[in-house]
Amino acid sequence: AQKITQTQPGMFVQEKEAVTLDCTYDTSDPSYGLFWYKQPSSGEMIFLIYQGSYDQQNATEGRYSLNFQKARKSANLVISASQLGDSAMYFCAMREGQGYSTLTFGKGTMLLVSP
Amino acid sequence: DGGITQSPKYLFRKEGQNVTLSCEQNLNHDAMYWYRQDPGQGLRLIYYSQIVNDFQKGDIAEGYSVSREKKESFPLTVTSAQKNPTAFYLCASSMDRSTDTQYFGPGTRLTVL
């Protein structure tokens, strides 16, 4: 079974609207972390937001928020007030266990923001 | 400026040749990682290192080798044993053990002709 599933290959949103990118995960480890990265066409991976499995509140970073539903094993990224510069690939990733560890990535969602 | 640098950005090699990809960081991060990305795919881990002179294999280590002689540097060698080396290679580093948030370099696109 895939550990990280992103079911939306592509999403469209109009500028200034909010958009939700879906991510579900699968792990039996009680300690884990969930990440979202943005990859523009230049190729670099840009860290957006982190949610720990024991965090009580949903993570927020500026226009990004993570809708963490532990029982459903979902960690959706919400981008508010979309901008043209948000057009990119978005990857959900998970770290299992504690300390330095490896990240398992989903296959990504391409977001296109239209004027 | 602090950050992670990878060079070169584009690299072309003939089949059967070994090639070394550079990754340097001046962030004083302990851990460093190498990932491979194929078109339309997420990243897959090749090798990672938590400390100097120590490294571990990731999911797709066959045909690759690494060294970690200095904290700042984690070069990746793509050997002739790697059957399909054409890909985008990303290096990352991390210093926060509690979250292991990884920060990435700009990547190297390797094409083997």
Side-chain angles (χ1 to χ4, degrees), chain A residues 35 37 39 95 100-102, chain B residues 33 37 45 95 99-100 102:
Chain A
F35 303 80
Y37 286 87
Q39 187 177 43
R95 180 213 76 237
Y100 295 127
S101 184
T102 64
Chain B
Y33 308 79
Q37 186 178 29
L45 183 72
M95 73 167 293
T99 67
D100 193 27
Q102 296 180 20

Side-chain angles (χ1 to χ4, degrees), chain B residues 5 7 9 19-20 23 31 34 36 40 44 49 52 62 69-70 80 84 92 94 97 112:
Chain B
T5 56
S7 60
K9 190 170 178 64
V19 60
T20 297
C23 178
W34 273 105
R36 168 183 172 139
R44 292 183 292 166
S49 167
V52 173
E62 185 175 349
E69 297 176 1
K70 299 186 300 182
S80 56
N84 187 16
S94 169
R97 272 190 177 271
V112 176

Side-chain angles (χ1 to χ4, degrees), chain B residues 7-70:
Chain B
S7 60
K9 190 170 178 64
Y10 298 96
L11 191 55
F12 297 89
R13 280 294 183 269
K14 291 185 179 179
E15 197 172 342
Q17 290 181 334
N18 291 357
V19 60
T20 297
L21 280 59
S22 167
C23 178
E24 305 275 334
Q25 54 98 1
N26 61 4
L27 301 168
N28 199 32
H29 286 182
D30 291 320
M32 296 185 74
Y33 308 79
W34 273 105
Y35 292 89
R36 168 183 172 139
Q37 186 178 29
D38 292 288
Q41 301 293 320
L43 278 63
R44 292 183 292 166
L45 183 72
I46 305 172
Y47 269 98
Y48 70 107
S49 167
Q50 299 182 27
I51 196 170
V52 173
N53 292 324
D54 186 51
F55 46 82
Q56 288 78 41
K57 292 182 179 180
D59 299 322
I60 55 166
E62 185 175 349
Y64 299 98
S65 66
V66 293
S67 63
R68 187 90 186 274
E69 297 176 1
K70 299 186 300 182

Side-chain angles (χ1 to χ4, degrees), chain A:
Chain A
Q2 287 195 1
K3 290 196 173 185
I4 295 287
T5 303
Q6 295 181 254
T7 57
Q8 307 154 313
M11 289 284 286
F12 291 92
V13 67
Q14 273 204 311
E15 203 176 3
K16 299 178 186 174
E17 292 188 349
V19 62
T20 298
L21 305 183
D22 294 341
C23 173
T24 58
Y25 60 92
D26 183 27
T27 181
S28 57
D29 198 316
S31 177
Y32 55 89
L34 296 157
F35 303 80
W36 277 93
Y37 286 87
K38 172 184 178 181
Q39 187 177 43
S41 57
S42 59
E44 61 182 309
M45 295 286 283
I46 302 167
F47 167 70
L48 296 177
I49 197 166
Y50 166 81
Q51 179 85 43
S53 58
Y54 297 118
D55 294 343
Q56 295 295 317
Q57 293 192 326
N58 287 346
T60 59
E61 289 284 352
R63 294 186 298 110
Y64 305 108
S65 60
L66 201 151
N67 184 1
F68 181 45
Q69 298 190 34
K70 200 168 182 176
R72 294 186 178 184
K73 293 190 174 180
S74 75
N76 298 340
L77 176 70
V78 180
I79 305 175
S80 63
S82 298
Q83 301 172 356
L84 296 179
D86 293 335
S87 294
M89 281 290 287
Y90 288 81
F91 290 93
C92 180
M94 176 174 65
R95 180 213 76 237
E96 295 176 276
Q98 298 191 3
Y100 295 127
S101 184
T102 64
L103 294 182
T104 302
F105 284 81
K107 295 191 174 182
T109 295
M110 172 65 79
L111 175 67
L112 290 177
V113 181
S114 60

